[in-house]
Each structure stands twice: as structure tokens, then as C-alpha cells.
Amino acid sequence: MTRFFRRPSLLAAALALGLQACGGTELPADEVLPAPSEAVAGTQQLIHDAVPGDILTALQAIPGLTVVREAPPPAPGVRHFVLSYDQPADHWHPEGTRFQQRLTLRFVSAEAPMVLGSSGYAIGTQSYRLEPTALLQANQLMVEHRFFEPSRPNPANWKLLTIEQAAADHHRIVQAFKPLFAGKWISTGASKGGMTSVYHRAFYPNDVDATVAYVAPNSYGTQDPRYVAFLSKRGTPECRERIRGFQREVLERRAETEAVFDARTQWLSYELLGHDKALEFTVLEFAFAFWQYGNASRCGDIPAPGATAEELVDFLDAIVGLSYMSDSDLDYYAPYDFQAATQLGSYASEERHLRGVQRYPGGYDPRALVPFDMKPYKFNPFAMPLIEGWVKAFGQRILFVYGENDPWSTGAFDVRSRNDSYRFYVPGGNHGSSIRTLPEADRAVALERLGAWAGVPATIPLVGLKNSAGEEDIRTGFVDRRRAPPRD
């Protein structure tokens, strides 16, 4: 395997063949990746002809781009645009169905670096800064992932929801916008957004100058057992036993807890899974979510044995969220679960301590969460190992940030210093880990390399801007699935 990945031509061929095996896109024998369209290739001249210095006019000159609206300035000297970009549903057959992909642009200046943000999910239209944007005082172009509403082709051919098609989306966007922004380009994203930015680099390594990927995992299979082993070492033995005891008690007292669960979720429907399975899957998610979003300080908050059913369900809601398995949430996140079931993979849950109280053992799998028939769509076991191999062998100027206790760190990408790539862990950190929360020495290295890649100093802002809720506007971009998804 090591010798194989030292051969770039073999790796490129393997990526194409391996990803094709599941993606449903048949690649022409003489074409691994789609060539630029004539419309995109002609952007340079159209931008040149636009009114000099007028970013709005320049945006309107990009073929296929629609300026939906310009929002009020989020800060002095900053302009914020909501955009949509015309994309082919199938980049290898662009004459077919097309769709509008939603974007947002936070514009500072044409000379500043550009941060290309991959959400991995849908995006809201409000303005906020991703961490690299704030560190570099950069422009920011945020991309909604294909198949998340409203960026979904109609009709939706789910075979086209693949990592190579999404990478081609990003590639065309970079081509279209680069004539406006001649500075360095840094791609970034957190969790699935970080994964998306890595896949884009694997297929189009020269589109951007560097990548900052937060808490981005690489999983093997739809029920990767490595996650169970990882969680078996988090916290103290007493804390782990309290987590297992809590899960078992919720299911042992299912008649009581399900009645409370139903009462707490009267406004939601659970037709896909049913209330019984939804409760059990939420319980299975509990241990993962406990460490993904929390920390050891919450061990003492776990209800003691004999707590009321209301206390058990309330804590389940606080850690996982009772809407997690509802029809509305599963419909919203269907593109993610589909990708997890076909290419990305996911995690296994520990179930041994639940024997005798489970009704659906082994059933918690992303395939079970997709609200349509998954029989035609198989899992491709080669996609993620091939991406992992590319990152390790050829991934240049990539910075990975992980949380020590975040379960997704189980599948942390490996890097090589000879590629000017780095991997850091936030001690005790969870899914919200960032460059700013790294230990001082690691943070200094991360800032120095990011600044070198971007061609401008990378510095920690003294203060962040505040939104109407008093929250700082600097984010890594990870999506908290415990909360209701944005409907913007």
C-alpha cells in the first residue's frame, strides 16, 4: 500500500475507479475530471470589462452567477452578498439537469486573501466569519453543499451526490471567482465541511493554496468499530459506567421514558422510524454526543439511578436533542446520511451493555436514517481509504485541528511534515476545537504557517463582532445536530 501511494498516476486512477464504484457517475475513459466550461473560461474578460472597483458590477459579470441580494453591511468596510451559481447536476454530462447552488460572499477587498468555506451542509444567509477569515482579515466565500435545500437538482438523481461531483462544484466556483480575487486562497470547513474541503483538494489540489480542516474524520464502513474503542477510553471508569447505566435505565424503563418522550415531542412526527425506534436510536447516540459536544465536567450531571422518567428524558434532550430522529430533521439531513451510507462511512455504537433491553440491535446505521429506499445505493469501501492515502502521501499545506475527546478524532487524518502539513489536538477538546483553543506552542505554529500560506500575517482578533444575541461571529463552521436545523 505504501509503495502504491508513491505513484501519483496510480493514485489518480485508483481515485477515479474507486469513487466511481459507488458514486453512480460513469467517467469517460479519457477524462478523469471535467474540463472548465467555455463560460467559466471567459470570465476573465467579462470581469475586465466591468466597472473598475465595483464589486457588485464585477459579480454581475460572472457567467451563471446571480446576485440574489446585498445584505446590510455586517461591519464597517465589509459588504455581504447572497448569491446563487448555475451548476450542472452531473459535471461529466453538463448538458443535462442544472441547479442553482447557494453561496454567500463577505467582501473586504479584492487584494485580501479569499477563504473558501465548505459547509458540508446547507448554509444560512446571515453573515459570520469562519476562523481563518478572522485570523487573516480575509474575504469569505461560503458554499452550500449540493442536495441540501435549496441547492438540490430537480429532479434529484441521488446517484450524483458524490464527493467527486461536490469537488467539481467547488472547482467551478473557484474558477469563476479567481479573476476577482488574485490573493491567496485558503479553503476551510469543520466536520463534514472539513471533509468536503479535503475531498476538493484531493481532486483539484491546485485550486487553493492551503486548507484548514477542523475535526474532519475519515471513517471505515457505515459502522466503524474504531469509534467504540475510542469512547471506551474517554473519561474515568466511573464516568463511562454512569453513561452506560443511564442508557440502560432509559431503555429498561421504556414504557415510562417513551411516554415522556412522546409528550415532549408532540409537535414532531416520527413516521420513518416510529417513536420506539427513535427513542432507542437517540439512546445509542447519547454516548457519542456526550463527548462530541460536552466534556468530563458533565459526568456529574448524569441522572443517578432511580431518577424520574422526566429527568432521564430531559438529560437525553440536553445531550442529544429529542428532534434528532424526527422526520423533519432526518429529511433535512438526508443528503448527509446518504453520503455516510454510500461513501463517507460512520461510527458504530457500543451495545453490549444494552443486551436484553434493545429491540433493534445493530440497526443504528445511516442507511436506516435516509427517508427513501437505499437498496439501489451500495457502500463504496474504497473511497475513504483512497482519500486517506492521498492526504498522507501528497496532501500539501493542510492544517488539521482535532479535539482530544471528540469521538470524530478516531478517524483523524495522518499527515507528513515534508508536505508542509500539520495535525494538532486541543487537550480535552471536543467538536468545537479551533486554532484559538490550541496550546500556545501549537497555536503559534498554526498561525505562522497559515500566515505564510496566505501571504499575510495571521493574528488572533482581540475581540469578535457580536450578533443580536450577543454571540461572537467567529466560528469554525461545524453543525450542531442537537439543535433544530436552520430554515433560512
Side-chain angles (χ1 to χ4, degrees), residues 113-124:
M114 172 60 79
V115 169
L116 177 67
S118 298
S119 69
Y121 296 93
I123 62 173

Side-chain angles (χ1 to χ4, degrees), residues 314-369:
D314 284 346
F315 198 68
L316 191 62
D317 187 21
I319 299 300
V320 183
L322 299 186
S323 69
Y324 197 96
M325 299 297 167
S326 68
D327 294 335
S328 58
D329 278 27
L330 293 182
D331 181 67
Y332 182 90
Y333 288 111
Y336 165 73
D337 289 317
F338 177 89
Q339 286 193 278
T342 54
Q343 287 184 305
L344 308 185
S346 190
Y347 48 88
S349 299
E350 184 182 7
E351 300 184 4
R352 290 176 299 176
H353 61 293
L354 300 176
R355 289 173 183 167
V357 297
Q358 273 185 286
R359 295 176 181 173
Y360 314 95
Y364 189 32
D365 184 286
R367 299 183 68 84
L369 306 181

Side-chain angles (χ1 to χ4, degrees), residues 68-69 82-85 87 98-104 119 121-125 143-154 156 332 335 486-488:
V68 177
R69 68 178 182 274
V82 179
L83 313 167
S84 66
Y85 187 58
Q87 294 276 27
R98 304 185 74 85
F99 71 100
Q100 292 293 314
Q101 188 164 23
R102 183 160 60 176
L103 317 170
T104 61
S119 69
Y121 296 93
I123 62 173
T125 57
V143 180
E144 185 164 74
H145 200 284
R146 62 167 40 214
F147 277 70
F148 280 88
E149 296 285 8
S151 300
R152 182 177 296 180
N154 186 19
Y332 182 90
R487 300 296 180 183
D488 185 356

Side-chain angles (χ1 to χ4, degrees), residues 27-43:
L27 306 183
D30 60 346
E31 185 179 52
V32 176
L33 296 170
S37 68
E38 292 183 7
V40 171
T43 300

